[in-house]
Amino acid sequence: MSSPVGTVDKKPPVAGRRLLQGLRLLPLAIPIAILAVLTLYPVLMLLYGSVRDAPPGGGGSFSLDGWIDAFSNPRTYSTFKTSFGLGLFATLSSVSVGCAMAWLVTRTDLPVRGFFERVMIYAVFIPAVVSAIAWSVLANPRVGVLNQAIGGLLGRDVQAINIYSFWGLVFQYTTVFAPLVFLLVLGPFKSMDGSLEEASRTCGATLGGTARRITFPLMGAAIMGSAVLVFVRVLESFEIPQILGRPAGIQVFMTRIYSATRLSVVPDYSQATVLGVIVLLTTFALVGLQILYVSRRSFVTVGGKAFRPSVAPLGRWRWPITAIVVVYLLVTVALPTIQIFLASFQRVTGLYGKDNWTLDGWRYVLGQEWFWPTVLRTIGYAALAGFVTMVITTIVSYVVVRSRSRWGRALELLTWLPWALPGLVLALGILWGYSDLPGEVSLYGTVLIMLIAYVTIGLPLGARAMMGGLMQLSPELEEAARLHGAGRIRAFLTVVFPLVRQTFFFGFTVSFVLISREVGASLLLYAPGREVLSIEILGAWTDGQAIVALVLSCVLILMAALIIALERLTAKLFPTGLE
Amino acid sequence: MGSIDARGLRKLFGGVPAVNDLSLSVEEGTFVSLLGPSGCGKTTTLRMLAGLEVPDAGEIRIGDEVMSSAEHRRFVPANDRGLGMVFQSYAIWPHMTVSQNIAYPLKMRRVDKRERADRVEAILHTVGLDGYGDRPSSKLSGGQQQRVALARAMVLNPRVLLLDEPLSNLDAKLRADLRLELRSLQQEVGITTVYVTHDQSEALALSDRIIVMAAGAVQQDGPPEEIYEHPANRFVAAFIGDFSHVDGTIRAVQGTHLEVEVPGNTAQSRVVVASDVRHRVGARVTLAFRPSRAQVVQGAPSGDGVHLGATVRTGVYLGERREYAMEIGKCEVKVYTDRHVRLDDGEQCCLRFADDDLMVFPVDEAPEGGVSGDAAKHSSHLVTA
């Protein structure tokens, strides 16, 4: 391009201007680059690590031994069977329960359904590690509270319920993941046009027939999405099989990866990495299939304006169903939470005698010199990582929502990627990626490497929150700012950000809660002196210090409750003016 | 200073042209409307003038300054153009007060605080919102929001004001009031204004000039009267005002006069109409007219002008006038008559037209797919109502 007519164009020549435009794009380009590095780099390094014969940072050379070992070891196949079996049954039951609850609270005349809805959402916030410990106290075969109660009723010792079993694990997963399914399908269930169901009823279909033929098929994409997510989450979960599966000798991929790296005398990283890659390929394939499935279906019924959902009368089933829901919520939500709090005040865990109550447990834990540093460290890490997550996701989401290009779609996919990455596997990839940086720099054992993992873990939910918030903003609001003299960045800072400020804080809260309970990644990446609460809980429990684990679990729950309350409070006190 | 000159504008979305080789000019101080159905490219054109879309081809000048030139790879971003704009949704920032909204452009131009307050005060007075400055803007009614948006757009005394369907979100009564206000305000300030609308009555009432658009191109550009009385093509005739038509075939051409045979016309075997455009014998043409310009003659045709014999299908009484659906051969037309003219269903009558009142368009001419549909909708209006 030759320089244009001088009288018209006062700008620098093309090359210089390009550079200038490039510099102006930096605030957008940097977070996008960080996102790409955070999500893609560990995956690539994990693949790389699976064909090395030395541990991360140890040099070594190309070798397929890890793969050959994995596939010649019969335990790999049994692990396959156990992990996939658990995934299948846990998904089936979680999706059934979660969808049934969502249907009941959104489309029927179930009494106090608003309250049931809040309880289910609350249940999402119970950390898996805490839930597993609670069920271990409630339903272990020998001294479990429930077994004692049943035994007391029957007048003899029984082992009626055994949580340390395959079906015990399935049950445990259901209590943890049914609320997640509920949360994911709640929106679609709520926004479905009620007249579609009413049309079916006027055509003579019964309530159940309408639910089966109209409601659930229309929810197909949402239900399918939640099913894939639960399956992936079950494959990824570490603390539940670690606490409940190990006593029964049930091994899944995650516990084997953990054993190979942290419990063996000689850590076998190549074995762990190969197992990690196998899980990764599975979860990627599932998430890919889901995206393919969703993109083939139209969302006409569940998008756009909020319709009035039709309320179907349950008739004579109303009270029996209410009773079932109440019992279900009591058992899966109230019981474990209450159990954790009560047990933290018991001299002997699980005994409800009159003189078994004590503050000693709390006194002991709060008196430990590591207690406050650990709490503050947990808060500090989660807050810092949560904040960085939200800064990245805010800018990335802004680009995704406003750009009409294919690149925007690719970026969105990248933010989904950590969903398919189990914490332990992510941590392995990060170990491979940052232990042997150029110049012999290793981040192994540093705070930074933990923060990298935490930020990555926060990305998917942070991005969902921000994209949701930004999509509600009319582009005209910022166009008006630009037209009236503000540059892009200025318009973003003065108009866009103030309007999504509360969404930012909401995303931060969710990331904070998610990060503060993270076990797998923390366990693989922490160095002595950098323990966080979740590690201490698991450690104390496996070491037999039940009371420490119980008290710390309470602290973890209180911490999450506190920040959620804070978020709700600021939303009330400082409304942004958007309704 | 505030004139606009755009040449050869083109904008593609996903390979499909939304605006195609469009040129327009707006003289300083005039009020020009871009009028057309949704999807005709009028908003895209406005956004290119505003600097919110980058044209794929063409040049835009405002005053002496080239704002955008695809050829010279020059593009002045929206924030450096110094224009005022009112958005369809008003885009009032809900986290700011009325004053903060209006002061925003001043702040961006680094106007000092005292002057800012004075100018906000003054513009609030101009738009009739004295004393509203400290209100949270999320608590405003639609009409108030529209005024705030207008105040914000005008506070810098911009050389050009762009309005994107600013009245479409208001109820009918308020719309009529604000329409008058907007016009008098514009004439008072003398600001060059480009107004995008799909509402023909708004465009007719407000504009010095109307640019009718369809399919990303200009169909006609002229003062309101000319657009209404002498539509350049069938699309413009059908889009602005009510419209009826019959089809016929040219049997003879004598200078500017055409002899047209209309099938089923019982009054005259051939009608003679005037046309500026050259036609050839044998071509099919559309004879179009405004339903209120047809005079109903009961009984035999008499007097000068074109006569078309018609059969009444059905009629409705609308207080000030009556509307009839009639058939001329296989064409259905509608006719508005004085409230005194009573015709029975099935009655034969004659429609008489003055020379100017019949418009002639070639049949195959259709700038947009929706045109024939529009016309059909017009003519079947009575029956469905």
Side-chain angles (χ1 to χ4, degrees):
Chain A
M1 267 287 143
S2 62
S3 188
V5 192
T7 51
V8 176
D9 199 331
K10 298 167 201 120
K11 300 255 167 168
V14 174
R17 209 187 315 155
R18 281 250 176 92
L19 187 70
L20 211 75
Q21 280 171 347
L23 281 177
R24 248 188 261 146
L25 284 175
L26 266 188
L28 297 180
I30 290 173
I32 290 171
I34 292 176
L35 172 77
V37 169
L38 281 180
T39 53
L40 289 176
Y41 183 58
V43 174
L44 295 176
M45 287 313 285
L46 194 75
L47 293 174
Y48 164 82
S50 73
V51 292
R52 307 297 294 177
D53 62 359
S61 55
F62 177 84
S63 150
L64 283 175
D65 287 352
W67 286 92
I68 294 165
D69 284 353
F71 282 98
S72 56
N73 187 345
R75 278 178 60 200
T76 305
Y77 298 97
S78 65
T79 308
F80 250 116
K81 228 173 95 186
T82 317
S83 290
F84 281 66
L86 277 174
L88 196 66
F89 287 109
T91 302
L92 277 177
S93 70
S94 301
V95 169
S96 314
V97 172
C99 287
M101 284 298 291
W103 179 71
L104 284 171
V105 303
T106 55
R107 328 282 307 173
T108 71
D109 64 345
L110 190 75
V112 290
R113 43 191 189 276
F115 172 73
F116 292 146
E117 182 182 326
R118 278 198 293 279
V119 172
M120 284 299 276
I121 289 173
Y122 158 77
V124 177
F125 287 97
I126 304 176
V129 60
V130 173
S131 188
I133 287 175
W135 278 101
S136 187
V137 173
L138 281 166
N140 80 61
R142 282 179 298 114
V143 293
V145 175
L146 291 175
N147 283 322
Q148 285 178 39
I150 296 168
L153 283 175
L154 297 176
R156 61 188 165 91
D157 274 3
V158 289
Q159 299 193 0
I161 311 168
N162 181 6
I163 198 78
Y164 300 143
S165 65
F166 183 87
W167 296 108
L169 278 169
V170 169
F171 171 81
Q172 171 69 70
Y173 279 128
T174 308
T175 68
V176 172
F177 292 125
L180 187 66
V181 172
F182 177 85
L183 195 68
L184 290 172
V185 299
L186 190 66
F189 266 99
K190 270 188 177 164
S191 59
M192 201 186 93
D193 186 354
S195 58
L196 296 171
E197 286 167 323
E198 283 163 352
S200 158
R201 311 253 2 239
T202 56
C203 291
T206 60
L207 177 62
T210 301
R212 203 172 66 245
R213 294 199 186 87
I214 308 292
T215 318
F216 285 95
L218 280 172
M219 299 290 102
I223 293 172
M224 167 87 178
S226 68
V228 167
L229 184 69
V230 169
F231 193 90
V232 169
R233 294 270 117 177
V234 172
L235 275 191
E236 293 176 7
S237 88
F238 163 68
E239 49 270 56
I240 291 172
Q242 182 68 12
I243 291 171
L244 300 179
R246 232 171 35 111
I250 297 172
Q251 287 274 11
V252 295
F253 280 116
M254 288 308 124
T255 50
R256 283 198 56 203
I257 290 174
Y258 177 63
S259 310
T261 49
R262 280 271 161 151
L263 294 185
S264 307
V265 185
V266 185
D268 187 351
Y269 277 97
S270 84
Q271 186 71 3
T273 307
V274 168
L275 291 176
V277 171
I278 292 173
V279 174
L280 201 69
L281 294 178
T282 317
T283 56
F284 277 16
L286 280 172
V287 172
L289 278 179
Q290 187 219 340
I291 290 171
L292 213 69
Y293 174 79
V294 167
S295 66
R296 285 225 202 104
R297 309 225 358 165
S298 114
F299 281 87
V300 188
T301 50
V302 290
K305 292 256 180 283
F307 289 100
R308 180 185 56 89
S310 75
V311 171
L314 291 169
R316 64 199 161 95
W317 291 103
R318 191 160 180 240
W319 294 108
I321 288 177
T322 309
I324 294 171
V325 168
V326 167
V327 169
Y328 167 76
L329 291 177
L330 274 178
V331 168
T332 64
V333 185
L335 203 59
T337 326
I338 294 168
Q339 179 60 45
I340 284 282
F341 274 91
L342 291 184
S344 73
F345 295 104
Q346 286 171 339
R347 229 179 277 281
V348 180
T349 307
L351 282 187
Y352 282 82
K354 210 174 20 183
D355 47 4
N356 195 31
W357 301 104
T358 175
L359 281 172
D360 285 355
W362 282 85
R363 259 192 226 117
Y364 172 77
V365 174
L366 264 62
Q368 297 294 311
E369 60 186 36
W370 52 260
F371 175 76
W372 286 110
T374 305
V375 171
L376 292 178
R377 203 180 295 128
T378 308
I379 293 175
Y381 289 178
L384 186 59
F387 181 76
V388 174
T389 297
M390 289 318 292
V391 170
I392 295 172
T393 52
T394 302
I395 296 168
V396 168
S397 304
Y398 177 73
V399 174
V400 168
V401 169
R402 288 289 176 260
S403 97
R404 290 175 227 158
S405 69
R406 225 173 293 149
W407 293 104
R409 178 85 186 126
L411 270 184
E412 193 183 347
L413 278 180
L414 276 191
T415 66
W416 277 113
L417 194 82
W419 267 126
L421 274 175
L424 262 175
V425 176
L426 171 70
L428 263 180
I430 285 176
L431 275 182
W432 283 107
Y434 298 94
S435 293
D436 192 16
L437 292 171
E440 307 215 342
V441 176
S442 170
L443 298 181
Y444 183 71
T446 60
V447 182
L448 192 59
I449 205 166
M450 294 177 82
L451 289 177
I452 288 172
Y454 289 156
V455 169
T456 313
I457 287 163
L459 288 172
L461 280 182
R464 297 292 85 68
M466 279 325 287
M467 280 179 201
L470 285 167
M471 257 185 283
Q472 285 174 354
L473 281 193
S474 157
E476 288 194 346
L477 287 171
E478 59 182 288
E479 282 168 4
R482 278 169 55 204
L483 210 108
H484 293 126
R488 270 179 189 277
I489 294 170
R490 197 90 183 269
F492 181 84
L493 291 177
T494 55
V495 172
V496 179
F497 188 72
L499 288 172
V500 294
R501 188 192 58 202
Q502 195 56 42
T503 313
F504 183 91
F505 193 30
F506 172 75
F508 170 79
T509 305
V510 173
S511 307
F512 181 97
V513 171
L514 204 68
I515 291 165
S516 65
R517 65 168 57 167
E518 164 57 38
V519 178
S522 313
L523 213 47
L524 213 57
L525 296 176
Y526 87 99
R530 300 197 210 292
E531 291 90 350
V532 289
L533 272 177
S534 56
I535 299 179
E536 293 288 8
I537 294 173
L538 191 71
W541 184 257
T542 20
D543 291 353
Q545 290 182 284
I547 191 68
V548 176
L550 289 167
V551 171
L552 291 179
S553 295
C554 294
V555 173
L556 192 61
I557 292 181
L558 288 175
M559 221 166 73
L562 216 64
I563 185 153
I564 292 166
L566 197 67
E567 195 269 334
R568 294 287 86 202
L569 191 71
T570 54
K572 279 225 175 70
L573 289 182
F574 311 106
T576 45
L578 285 177
E579 289 321 322
Chain B
M1 201 49 211
S3 62
I4 301 173
D5 193 31
R7 291 277 154 256
L9 287 184
R10 175 207 279 269
K11 179 73 190 174
L12 304 169
F13 289 123
V16 183
V19 170
N20 204 354
D21 195 22
L22 178 137
S23 299
L24 61 86
S25 64
V26 181
E27 301 91 69
E28 170 148 22
T30 57
F31 192 119
V32 170
S33 292
L34 296 179
L35 174 66
S38 56
C40 72
K42 56 191 191 298
T43 294
T44 306
T45 305
L46 191 78
R47 289 170 60 84
M48 286 194 281
L49 297 180
L52 295 170
E53 300 284 356
V54 185
D56 292 320
E59 185 179 280
I60 296 170
R61 279 169 190 268
I62 293 177
D64 317 323
E65 199 182 343
V66 175
M67 288 297 177
S68 160
S69 165
E71 190 192 343
H72 293 152
R73 307 188 64 135
R74 179 177 164 78
F75 183 78
V76 179
N79 47 316
D80 292 335
R81 291 196 182 187
L83 312 175
M85 180 162 173
V86 175
F87 290 81
Q88 188 169 11
S89 67
Y90 308 135
I92 302 295
W93 301 306
H95 59 302
M96 300 182 192
T97 63
V98 168
S99 290
Q100 285 169 335
N101 262 285
I102 298 174
Y104 191 93
L106 299 167
K107 224 164 146 182
M108 292 299 135
R109 293 278 183 280
R110 300 181 206 287
V111 175
D112 76 72
K113 219 170 178 185
R114 173 118 24 103
E115 195 189 335
R116 242 191 278 162
D118 291 345
R119 287 174 73 170
V120 169
E121 201 72 5
I123 198 84
L124 276 174
H125 178 72
T126 311
V127 298
L129 283 178
D130 301 85
Y132 276 73
D134 293 331
R135 294 263 183 115
S137 52
S138 52
K139 298 270 192 302
L140 297 175
S141 70
Q144 289 165 341
Q145 284 190 34
Q146 203 261 355
R147 284 159 201 258
V148 173
L150 197 60
R152 185 176 65 188
M154 308 226 317
V155 71
L156 274 177
N157 298 322
R159 39 194 178 170
V160 170
L161 181 62
L162 306 173
L163 303 163
D164 186 6
E165 309 225 13
L167 302 179
S168 65
N169 285 331
L170 303 173
D171 60 59
K173 170 83 173 70
L174 197 57
R175 195 153 47 196
D177 291 349
L178 283 175
R179 192 158 73 192
L180 288 175
E181 261 180 59
L182 199 59
R183 178 62 176 163
S184 63
L185 188 66
Q186 188 268 335
Q187 293 198 318
E188 215 172 281
V189 183
I191 186 173
T192 311
T193 305
V194 181
Y195 185 95
V196 160
T197 182
H198 64 270
D199 183 327
Q200 38 150 325
S201 56
E202 262 173 31
L204 290 172
L206 286 166
S207 317
D208 295 315
R209 238 175 65 225
I210 296 176
I211 297 172
V212 184
M213 288 182 66
V218 172
Q219 301 300 318
Q220 191 172 5
D221 178 347
E225 268 180 40
E226 188 186 310
I227 301 271
Y228 189 81
E229 296 294 337
H230 304 289
N233 57 38
R234 186 174 142 160
F235 169 80
V236 177
F239 188 72
I240 295 183
D242 289 335
F243 172 82
S244 274
H245 70 95
V246 291
D247 290 340
T249 311
I250 298 176
R251 291 300 174 208
V253 179
Q254 290 177 347
T256 60
H257 283 75
L258 314 173
E259 284 183 27
V260 179
E261 183 187 326
V262 178
N265 181 12
T266 50
Q268 292 172 327
S269 58
R270 289 179 180 187
V271 296
V272 179
V273 293
S275 171
D276 309 335
V277 192
R278 280 169 58 97
H279 293 273
R280 59 180 179 77
V281 175
R284 305 210 355 108
V285 287
T286 289
L287 302 181
F289 59 89
R290 305 287 178 202
S292 54
R293 300 278 168 90
Q295 285 173 273
V296 175
V297 183
Q298 282 166 293
S302 62
D304 298 342
V306 173
H307 288 81
L308 296 172
T311 311
V312 177
R313 280 250 320 255
T314 180
V316 291
Y317 169 67
L318 290 175
E320 279 309 296
R321 65 169 197 238
R322 287 173 192 274
E323 288 189 15
Y324 289 97
M326 299 186 185
E327 271 170 6
I328 299 171
K330 279 183 184 136
C331 289
E332 186 170 307
V333 298
K334 61 178 173 179
V335 171
Y336 303 161
T337 69
D338 189 82
R339 67 200 152 100
H340 300 300
V341 178
R342 287 196 176 192
L343 302 167
D344 296 326
D345 292 0
E347 187 178 332
Q348 300 280 327
C349 66
C350 194
L351 302 178
R352 181 168 167 270
F353 297 92
D355 277 348
D356 282 357
D357 288 339
L358 262 189
M359 304 171 265
V360 184
F361 304 118
V363 158
D364 54 351
E365 174 193 45
E368 196 196 36
V371 177
S372 50
D374 268 5
K377 214 162 52 202
H378 277 290
S379 51
S380 63
H381 167 74
L382 265 182
V383 184
T384 52

